[in-house]
């Protein structure tokens, strides 16, 4: 296939490189100067999109996505698909899908989980919203960039799945960290706490696969000075998106809301920026609670 790839940052660059390495012809554009192995860089987004069978975007937010989509959908060839892999608000995904259908094109929202290591290794998970026909068409590309692609429903369903998952993750990480801080104060050894909880009803991905306590459980960012991994500010971005979505549909999400407030405080006022999201353990370990 001929692929246009717009947004060649931490995630986009390795994804585009994997598509090129698999034999696809990849034309890429980023607003900053980049070099990506196997990818022909174009001077603007339209040139990358013009003759593409699929245009993939991997951009920072919904506003930028809307503006790029507005620009490139007009020049895409009939029958081409627009595949957005960014994490953005559900409304922007749906607006882009509408814009695409006005141009007679099919659009998919396909945010990912797996982070930078998953992008490099080609084992991302895609959560996909939009027409099944388009999903089937780009399936071979999901197989190169990822290990799994789940069709979640109509436009926006991929973004909905992503923010629901990460709302659970944010709240669960906080619960795991506050439990470690409580265990410390009760003189319960962290390793013993892990041994019990990881095989009891408190187990979770945060505890079992990504333990926030250094030296406990499998290797995780905690064992590497909390270098991300999944940065706290990206977790905050996703928690903000889930709160924005909850407000739009009047959903009651008290734990998600509290998690959003705690990560906002951590990133904005407690030096959490640039650290892995599991570093929130330090916040609870250092603080005395008010009761
Ligand atoms: P990034 O900032 O490294 O990359 C975004 C790229 O988009 C940058 O290179 C930027 O120059 C480019 N860009 C911005 N405006 C543009 C425009 N108008 N035209 C062309 N290029 C433009 O971010 P990233 O880490 O690659 O994340 C991309 C998306 O993936 C985000 O939506 C993020 O939430 C999501 N995501 C990231 C991770 C992660 O671990 N980094 C994990 C899952 C999902």
């Amino acid at each position: 296939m001929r692929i246009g790839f717009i947004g060649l940052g931490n995630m986009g660059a390795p994804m585009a490189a994997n598509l090129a390495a698999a034999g696809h012809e990849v034309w890429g554009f980023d607003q900053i100067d980049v070099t990506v192995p196997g990818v022909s860089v174009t001077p603007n987004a339209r040139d990358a999109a013009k003759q593409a069978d699929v245009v993939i975007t991997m951009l920072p937010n919904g506003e930028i996505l809307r503006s790029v989509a507005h620009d490139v959908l007009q020049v895409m060839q009939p029958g081409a698909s627009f595949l957005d892999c960014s994490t953005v608000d559900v409304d922007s995904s749906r607006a882009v899908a509408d814009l695409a259908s006005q141009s007679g094109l099919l659009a998919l929202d396909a945010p990912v989980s797996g982070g930078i290591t998953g992008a490099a290794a080609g084992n991302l998970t895609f959560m996909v919203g939009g027409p099944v026909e388009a999903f089937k068409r780009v399936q071979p590309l999901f197989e190169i960039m990822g290990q799994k692609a789940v069709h979640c429903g109509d436009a926006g369903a991929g973004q909905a799945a992503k923010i629901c998952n990460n709302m659970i993750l944010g709240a669960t990480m906080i619960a795991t960290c506050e439990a470690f801080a409580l265990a410390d104060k009760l003189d319960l050894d962290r390793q013993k706490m892990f041994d019990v909880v990881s095989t009891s009803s408190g187990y979770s991905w945060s505890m079992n696969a990504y333990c926030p306590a250094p030296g406990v459980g499998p290797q995780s960012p905690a064992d590497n000075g909390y270098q991300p991994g999944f940065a706290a500010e990206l977790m905050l971005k996703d928690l903000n998106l889930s709160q924005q979505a909850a407000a739009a549909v009047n959903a009651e999400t008290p734990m998600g809301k509290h998690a959003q407030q705690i990560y906002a405080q951590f990133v904005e006022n407690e030096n959490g920026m640039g650290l892995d999201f599991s570093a929130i353990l330090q916040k609870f370990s250092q603080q005395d609670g008010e009761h």
Side-chain angles (χ1 to χ4, degrees), residues 86-135:
S86 330
T87 305
V88 303
D89 56 290
V90 176
D91 284 350
S92 290
S93 276
R94 291 187 173 147
V96 166
D98 283 348
L99 206 59
S101 75
Q102 284 162 28
S103 306
L105 299 165
L106 297 179
L108 295 169
D109 51 290
V112 302
S113 85
I116 299 166
T117 46
N123 60 16
L124 295 168
T125 296
F126 291 85
M127 305 144 231
V128 191
V132 177
E133 186 191 339
F135 178 76

Side-chain angles (χ1 to χ4, degrees), residues 138-149:
V138 301
Q139 184 82 44
L141 306 185
F142 290 141
E143 282 165 16
I144 295 163
M145 297 185 286
Q147 51 160 357
K148 189 174 179 184

Side-chain angles (χ1 to χ4, degrees), residues 27-49:
W27 295 76
F29 172 71
D30 196 289
Q31 64 175 12
I32 57 165
D33 261 350
V34 284
T35 315
V36 181
V39 176
S40 310
V41 174
T42 60
N44 55 59
R46 286 176 169 225
D47 284 351

Side-chain angles (χ1 to χ4, degrees), residues 13 21 29 36 56 73-74 78 87 89 104 111 136 144 177 187 215 218 240 244 279:
F29 172 71
V36 181
I56 304 178
L73 284 168
Q74 309 170 29
T87 305
D89 56 290
K136 286 189 179 148
I144 295 163
C177 290
D187 293 325
N240 284 337
Q244 192 181 332

Side-chain angles (χ1 to χ4, degrees), residues 6-13 29-32 34 45 58-61 64 67-68 85-88 111-116 162 229-231 234 237-238:
I6 301 164
L8 299 166
N10 289 323
M11 296 291 290
F29 172 71
D30 196 289
Q31 64 175 12
I32 57 165
V34 284
M58 196 52 171
L59 296 162
N61 60 47
I64 295 173
S67 115
V68 168
C85 297
S86 330
T87 305
V88 303
V112 302
S113 85
I116 299 166
K162 168 90 185 173
F230 184 46
L234 287 177
K237 172 189 171 179
D238 293 357

